Structures are given as structure tokens and as C-alpha cells.
Amino acid sequence: MRLASIHYYPVKSTRGHDVEHAQVEPWGLAGDRRYLIVDAKGEMLTAREEPRLLACHPRLEPDGGLTLTGPHADPLRVTPTDRMAPVTVWRTEVKLTDCGDDAAAWLSALVEAPVRLLWLDDPTRRPVNPDYSEPDDRVSLADGYPLLLASTTSLAQLNDWIAETAVERGEELPEPLPMRRFRPNVVVDGAEPWAEDTWHRLRIGDVPFRVTKPCARCVLTTIDPETYRKGKEPIRTLARHRRWDGKTWFGVNLIPDTPGALTTGDPVVILA
């Protein structure tokens, strides 16, 4: 097996970047999901509720800063303030830094509603779910775990199932879903479909990881990242083939044992 691709997402629920190399930090890939957007109530806002967030293209600058680009306005360089705000990221309250009125106005114009941009300046603040982690494990602003792994062969199998579902229902044959629907950090090639369900430990290049649990999928996977329209797939077909514990599953969550570097093409070795 090999590492087929690497992806990171500077602002949660906005566009991601495909890269050839990435640094693995204890809380995830360097630069991954260190910013998030909140609504007028100060509650986390994602593309599940507001698909237009996917039109935002955040770019990390060489000096560590962030620039927002989008279809509605000129690019904006983000300038964090010294104001802190508590935000609940799923079940955990985390203190984040407000990124100022200019960023708030830029994003509010994009989604046509009042929102603000916040930054996790200290990534050691948020612990991982203790049911699946060690006491010192930390995560950025990803849904639950430092990295998400997906498999090209599992996606190919899923797309075959989706096509079969369409034929059974007399529907037009859909285009295969791209991997970006699932927003993984690392994609592996060369495994049997769904083999990742059985992995407990693995090494990508020189970086060892623990596999914590499969990833339960939500409505975000049904949103076309180009048109922002919602459909029925892949949840409809996952529910037929990959449903247990009341959820549908695709990909697995990872926690790095040590920091390191990844490069596409790195060998992937299953340790347990």
C-alpha cells in the first residue's frame, strides 16, 4: 500500500488543499482546521448548515498568516485580535481568538448572515474523546480526531454500490463521487475495500498512528462541493451497506504516536 494523497483544510468546513508533503503534529496535519466560523449566537457553523462556506478558499501564507479568497469580494488577509471567545466544538468548550471585524464582514457577506472567524492559537487546548485516546492526546478543530484516513478502493466499491442503487431505482446513472466529498487528510491506495475497518495501528512513511474508530458520516457528504446542492448520496447507499450502531461509516480516524513528515507515495504498513 502507499499514500495516494494528502489534504488539509485551514478553516473548518471551507475548501481544502491537496499537497505533496505535510508535517504531522500531535493534533493533526500542520495548518489543518485551526480556524472555524461561528454564527450570531457564537455557535459553531459548518457547511452542514451553510453550504456556501465551501465557496471560501482559505490560504495559509508562508509567514503563518491566513488569506481568505472567494467569489464575492477581494482577498482578505486575516488579522487576529487579542479577544478570546469560548466556543463549544461538539461536546468540548474551547477558548479561541477572534479574528476581527474585517474577517467577520467578509464571511458575513459570503453567507449573507452575521458570522465571525475564530482561531485556535494554542492547539494543546482541546483534548480528544477519552474513550478512544490517551490523556495527553490533543486535536485541533477537526470533528473529533487529529487525522481522517480514507481508501481509494473503498470509495470505488461505494461508487459501484451507488450505481447499482440508481439502476435498481430506474434513476440516471450518477457520476462517481470524488474523494473530496469525504474530506480526508490522508488517502491510501492498494488495500482491499474496507480493510481499514480492521486496522488498529499503522505506519505511513516513518510516522506511526493509532486507529481509534471508524468515521460516522453525516449530511455534509451529500453536498456537492461545486454546486453546494444537497443530494441523497452517499448516505442513502451507505445506509444499505455500511450501517451499524444507528450510523453510516466511511474512513477511519487516526491519532499520531509521534510527529513527522508525510509525502505522497510513502509506503503504508499495517502494524496491528
Side-chain angles (χ1 to χ4, degrees):
M1 286 187 293
R2 68 179 187 92
L3 178 59
S5 60
I6 306 169
H7 315 271
Y8 77 98
Y9 311 82
V11 181
K12 187 177 181 69
S13 266
T14 64
R15 291 273 180 160
H17 294 271
D18 307 335
V19 294
E20 296 293 316
H21 311 277
Q23 289 296 127
V24 179
E25 298 175 337
W27 36 83
L29 296 185
D32 186 52
R33 296 174 173 96
R34 292 289 293 276
Y35 295 80
L36 65 71
I37 297 161
V38 296
D39 63 17
K41 296 179 180 180
E43 297 176 350
M44 180 177 70
L45 182 70
T46 74
R48 299 169 181 85
E49 304 84 33
E50 180 45 80
R52 285 176 292 185
L53 291 179
L54 296 170
C56 175
H57 293 241
R59 182 178 70 246
L60 289 178
E61 303 294 353
D63 62 2
L66 179 75
T67 297
L68 303 178
T69 62
H72 68 298
D74 292 336
L76 176 74
R77 175 66 180 251
V78 172
T79 305
T81 69
D82 58 1
R83 300 192 303 272
M84 303 290 290
V87 178
T88 299
V89 182
W90 300 117
R91 293 179 294 178
T92 305
E93 184 176 283
V94 188
K95 288 185 176 180
L96 305 179
T97 295
D98 188 276
C99 291
D101 292 341
D102 288 345
W106 193 97
L107 287 162
S108 297
L110 175 66
V111 300
E112 300 179 306
V115 299
R116 298 195 73 82
L117 180 67
L118 304 180
W119 172 46
L120 179 62
D121 57 295
D122 180 357
T124 67
R125 288 198 187 112
R126 187 179 173 217
V128 180
N129 183 342
D131 293 340
Y132 298 96
S133 66
E134 301 297 332
D136 292 335
D137 289 333
R138 294 295 182 267
V139 59
S140 61
L141 297 172
D143 277 356
Y145 300 90
L147 284 86
L148 174 64
L149 176 148
S151 162
T152 59
T153 53
S154 296
L155 178 59
Q157 176 70 83
L158 175 58
N159 275 316
D160 287 346
W161 286 341
I162 290 172
E164 291 171 4
T165 299
V167 170
E168 290 172 5
R169 292 174 175 267
E171 300 171 352
E172 182 179 351
L173 200 64
E175 290 291 324
L177 294 183
M179 186 63 82
R180 64 184 299 191
R181 283 282 189 108
F182 300 91
R183 300 175 70 82
N185 294 114
V186 289
V187 178
V188 300
D189 189 36
E192 291 296 316
W194 317 115
E196 61 272 23
D197 292 345
T198 67
W199 300 343
H200 296 287
R201 300 181 66 87
L202 59 89
R203 186 174 63 244
I204 305 176
D206 295 325
V207 185
F209 295 91
R210 283 167 277 148
V211 181
T212 61
K213 60 184 289 293
C215 182
R217 307 317 305 225
C218 69
V219 69
L220 184 55
T221 60
T222 69
I223 299 172
D224 186 318
E226 299 299 333
T227 66
Y228 320 130
R229 290 196 295 266
K230 293 181 181 179
K232 297 178 181 179
E233 297 294 0
I235 297 299
R236 180 175 68 173
T237 295
L238 282 174
R240 294 181 64 184
H241 298 275
R242 300 276 301 167
R243 183 177 177 84
W244 60 85
D245 296 336
K247 300 176 182 178
T248 59
W249 307 88
F250 184 93
V252 292
N253 296 295
L254 306 180
I255 297 176
D257 282 327
T258 60
L262 300 179
T263 299
T264 55
D266 279 347
V268 178
V269 179
I270 306 308
L271 304 176

